[in-house]
Amino acid sequence: MTELERHMLKEVAELDSLPVGAYNIRSNGKSAARNTTANIDIVTKEEVSGIDIIIKPGTKNQSVHIPVIISESGLKEVVYNDFYIGEDCDVTIIAGCGISNCGGSDSRHDGVHSFHVGKNSKVRYVEKHYGEGTGKGKRLMNPTTVVELGEDAYMLMETSQISGVDDTIRETRATIGDRSSLVIHDKILTDGKQKAVAKMFVDLDGEDSGCDLISRGVAKEDSYQEVILGINGNNKCNGHAECDSIIMDRGVILATPQLKAENVDASLIHEAAIGKIAGEQLLKLMTLGLTEKEAEDMIVKGFLR
Amino acid sequence: MILELKNISYEIDGKVILDNINLKIEDRFVAVTGPNGSGKSTLAKIIMGLLTPTSGRIILDGEDITDLPINERADKGISFAFQQPVRFKGLRVGDLLKLAYKGEKKLSEACAILSEVGLCARDYQDRELNDTLSGGEMKRIEIAMTAARGTALSIFDEPEAGIDLWSFQSLIRVFEKLYRKTSGSIVIISHQERILAIADKIIYLKEGKVEKYGKGEEVLRFISNISSKPCSELTKNLD
């Protein structure tokens, strides 16, 4: 592994070395390293680019790392990763994509992740997107996540994109079964002329199903963000969506709530707030010795924590 | 510490809030009191740099700090506890305490201070300073944080506001300890007799002017004389 690849791996998956447990590291369009365990199998797809991750029923306290790194300028790829999580599992999946583009051509990674979560299973999914590089070529990522939660399942998604990605459309679609719930914490920071669109659509199909979609965004400089949080309450269910954004400089943020209730027992709530950093927050931190700029950075960092 | 306010005035929208204030504060425990709207908070904010005076100079230990920004005044040893503590989404109690202490070194001391205001440090360190904390909790954290800095001058803007009676007891102990353990000065804006009673000196402000400034008991006597007089508006037709 090159020094650059190591650095990118650290940025997207917080890995200093090869992880413990199952993993598949994809570097510049090829599988660079893979490990499977007795309970977690990783199989290369034959018809399209990507892998199947198969987790046996009853697998507890295990993790899978599937980071993707691109350091070749001009590389464009669409990758399909399917996760089959058996019943009664409790697992953590750490994905993430890092693009380092020092060349003149655009680099692009479109990852399509599908999760099939079995009855009574619990999944934590962490996805971090990161871009860097001095080249004129853009760093583009368009992740699509499809979630199917069976009965009595729970999934927590922690997704983030903290600067560095020029253009992104992030789409998540989920269907939630009986007594299952999905929680999404999405964090995004854009600056320069970056553009980011995040769309989340959840169908609460199951009885007593629920979801909590929390989006936090910071748009700096001339960047643009669009957030659409949609919940369909198709059964007796509880859905909550919250979109909270800080706008700075000449940034633009468009937040669109979409709630649709098709059942009299569906309870759906949406909250959205966009505003600049409160003046009194800056003043408070300045009384503790920070300059205005340092105070601003600390507030943004905390907000996106 | 010697703080001098020379000819400080503050006007906003044509309204005079502070009118040519001249004060020399050199005692270690000074209370500022006076009716609502007399300019107490404005005066405190001007000292910290949160507001800029329309005219006049602020001198701290012989140095003119009138044009210094807030953070540089903080570095020179001024601390300020807000009357209404500021909430932050995402920032935690521990984050601000670390700032107050400039690092982790004395974090255990910060924890001790949290305990003094009746909050268990272990439970509160990782709490976000957001709407999940009550007004009283926020207020106690704010006071603990300011006391934790232990600077040359600590200003508290109505520390008793929003604090229950039980917590008020421990609050007094925090001030007493700050007084004993540091060599810094404390300026407290307060209406509470229990706080006024322990002050070395009291500044009584009225309508933007210093009506009385002197030793604690002297000013307290002055205040009790005014408040025992019936309202002249109500009694003018009785004679």
Side-chain angles (χ1 to χ4, degrees):
Chain A
M1 206 182 287
T2 65
E3 201 52 46
L4 177 63
E5 285 172 324
R6 269 183 216 283
H7 159 70
M8 297 300 284
L9 211 51
K10 171 94 179 146
E11 288 294 338
V12 296
E14 288 167 10
L15 289 173
D16 287 316
S17 57
L18 288 176
V20 177
Y23 59 83
N24 184 79
I25 299 171
R26 184 182 175 93
S27 176
N28 290 320
K30 294 181 214 71
S31 177
R34 179 178 295 178
N35 187 45
T36 58
T37 65
N39 280 3
I40 303 175
D41 199 12
I42 300 175
V43 183
T44 305
K45 281 185 185 296
E46 287 177 3
E47 283 150 23
V48 287
S49 189
I51 47 176
D52 286 336
I53 297 101
I54 303 139
I55 302 176
K56 278 189 185 167
T59 303
K60 304 252 185 202
N61 302 320
Q62 291 200 26
S63 64
V64 194
H65 284 77
I66 53 155
V68 172
I69 43 184
I70 296 176
S71 52
E72 252 177 53
S73 183
L75 192 131
K76 292 184 177 68
E77 60 179 8
V78 183
V79 178
Y80 296 85
N81 294 335
D82 288 342
F83 299 81
Y84 298 93
I85 297 140
E87 295 184 356
D88 299 307
C89 289
D90 187 348
V91 290
T92 299
I93 298 163
I94 297 168
C97 177
I99 298 180
S100 176
N101 193 351
C102 292
S105 311
D106 295 353
S107 298
R108 174 172 168 167
H109 173 84
D110 293 350
V112 183
H113 288 183
S114 299
F115 292 87
H116 309 273
V117 183
K119 192 177 173 181
N120 226 12
S121 279
K122 202 174 156 189
V123 177
R124 176 173 170 244
Y125 174 63
V126 183
E127 181 189 271
K128 196 170 164 189
H129 284 165
Y130 172 77
E132 62 167 37
T134 49
K136 282 191 178 163
K138 286 186 173 172
R139 302 173 292 264
L140 312 168
M141 292 182 201
N142 295 305
T144 303
T145 309
V146 181
V147 177
E148 278 175 34
L149 289 189
E151 293 171 26
D152 300 290
Y154 170 82
M155 183 160 173
L156 167 65
M157 290 175 61
E158 296 168 357
T159 52
S160 63
Q161 179 186 308
I162 308 299
S163 198
V165 179
D166 293 298
D167 207 321
T168 185
I169 299 177
R170 300 140 65 81
E171 191 167 340
T172 303
R173 292 190 302 270
T175 50
I176 316 296
D178 290 347
R179 298 170 302 281
S180 286
S181 57
L182 172 69
V183 178
I184 302 181
H185 289 187
D186 186 51
K187 292 175 284 188
I188 189 155
L189 183 144
T190 50
D191 56 18
K193 292 188 184 302
Q194 292 167 2
K195 189 179 168 209
V197 177
K199 301 176 185 175
M200 297 178 206
F201 298 104
V202 179
D203 273 299
L204 294 173
D205 289 345
E207 193 175 348
D208 292 318
S209 59
C211 71
D212 194 4
L213 315 178
I214 299 169
S215 155
R216 282 196 176 177
V218 177
K220 285 185 177 179
E221 296 165 5
D222 295 291
S223 64
Y224 177 87
Q225 283 185 25
E226 205 174 304
V227 185
I228 304 169
L229 302 179
I231 304 174
N232 289 339
N234 304 326
N235 206 326
K236 181 187 171 214
C237 60
N238 275 296
H240 174 249
E242 184 184 321
C243 175
D244 215 342
S245 307
I246 292 180
I247 185 164
M248 296 166 80
D249 312 311
R250 296 157 307 280
V252 176
I253 297 175
L254 171 66
T256 314
Q258 281 184 16
L259 301 180
K260 186 180 176 194
E262 292 211 43
N263 185 300
V264 73
D265 290 317
S267 167
L268 308 176
I269 298 171
H270 184 279
E271 299 171 75
I274 303 173
K276 63 176 180 181
I277 293 175
E280 56 174 17
Q281 292 183 332
L282 292 171
L283 293 179
K284 176 68 220 173
L285 296 185
M286 288 172 79
T287 66
L288 294 170
L290 297 189
T291 63
E292 191 172 341
K293 177 77 180 68
E294 288 166 342
E296 199 178 275
D297 288 347
M298 185 169 177
I299 292 163
V300 167
K301 207 173 153 194
F303 184 72
L304 294 175
R305 180 181 260 154
Chain B
M1 187 272 335
I2 301 174
L3 178 75
E4 290 169 274
L5 302 177
K6 293 184 172 171
N7 309 107
I8 293 286
S9 290
Y10 183 76
E11 286 176 32
I12 189 161
D13 299 331
K15 197 173 175 240
V16 179
I17 311 291
L18 292 177
D19 186 3
N20 200 34
I21 301 279
N22 283 287
L23 280 171
K24 189 173 186 182
I25 298 173
E26 46 193 335
D27 293 270
R28 292 214 36 230
F29 198 120
V30 177
V32 184
T33 195
N36 291 334
S38 56
K40 305 181 296 293
S41 288
T42 304
L43 185 71
K45 285 177 183 167
I46 281 176
I47 298 170
M48 185 71 241
L50 299 167
L51 292 175
T52 308
T54 316
S55 60
R57 310 305 296 173
I58 307 156
I59 317 289
L60 180 71
D61 288 328
E63 186 188 348
D64 190 333
I65 60 162
T66 321
D67 301 321
L68 287 188
I70 304 165
N71 57 306
E72 287 182 32
R73 295 188 202 202
D75 292 340
K76 296 234 173 262
I78 306 181
S79 298
F80 187 92
F82 284 57
Q83 186 180 142
Q84 278 162 337
V86 184
R87 294 177 191 270
F88 295 88
K89 280 184 184 168
L91 289 185
R92 297 172 185 158
V93 175
D95 294 331
L96 263 65
L97 278 175
K98 264 183 224 167
L99 267 191
Y101 269 121
K102 288 200 175 292
E104 307 229 10
K105 209 172 127 202
K106 290 201 269 175
L107 207 58
S108 57
E109 284 177 42
C111 293
I113 286 203
L114 274 182
S115 308
E116 274 169 37
V117 293
L119 303 174
C120 172
R122 212 177 29 216
D123 296 345
Y124 280 87
Q125 188 113 306
D126 293 329
R127 288 281 300 272
E128 267 189 46
L129 289 151
N130 60 16
D131 293 340
T132 61
L133 290 169
S134 74
E137 286 171 318
M138 286 294 297
K139 190 80 182 183
R140 284 185 277 164
I141 291 163
E142 178 79 3
I143 290 158
M145 200 153 47
T146 308
R149 293 192 81 214
T151 48
L153 173 62
S154 305
I155 305 167
F156 297 88
D157 192 356
E158 290 200 32
E160 73 266 19
I163 293 241
D164 59 77
L165 210 59
W166 181 83
S167 306
F168 185 70
Q169 288 282 98
S170 54
L171 200 63
I172 298 264
R173 281 200 295 275
V174 171
F175 297 134
E176 285 172 341
K177 198 166 176 187
L178 189 63
Y179 188 86
R180 271 198 324 272
K181 291 217 162 174
T182 69
S183 54
S185 299
I186 303 165
V187 170
I188 298 188
I189 295 174
S190 179
H191 299 287
Q192 268 290 337
E193 272 185 46
R194 300 252 327 266
I195 290 179
L196 300 183
I198 56 170
D200 298 327
K201 279 199 175 162
I202 298 175
I203 298 164
Y204 179 69
L205 282 186
K206 196 182 167 192
E207 291 166 2
K209 290 184 177 170
V210 178
E211 183 97 346
K212 187 87 183 162
Y213 177 32
K215 284 195 171 160
E217 58 269 33
E218 191 186 320
V219 180
L220 275 177
R221 259 199 313 279
F222 174 81
I223 299 170
S224 64
N225 276 338
I226 322 173
S227 36
S228 60
K229 281 183 196 157
C231 172
S232 58
E233 242 343 272
L234 292 172
T235 55
K236 66 183 175 191
N237 297 327
L238 293 177
D239 298 329

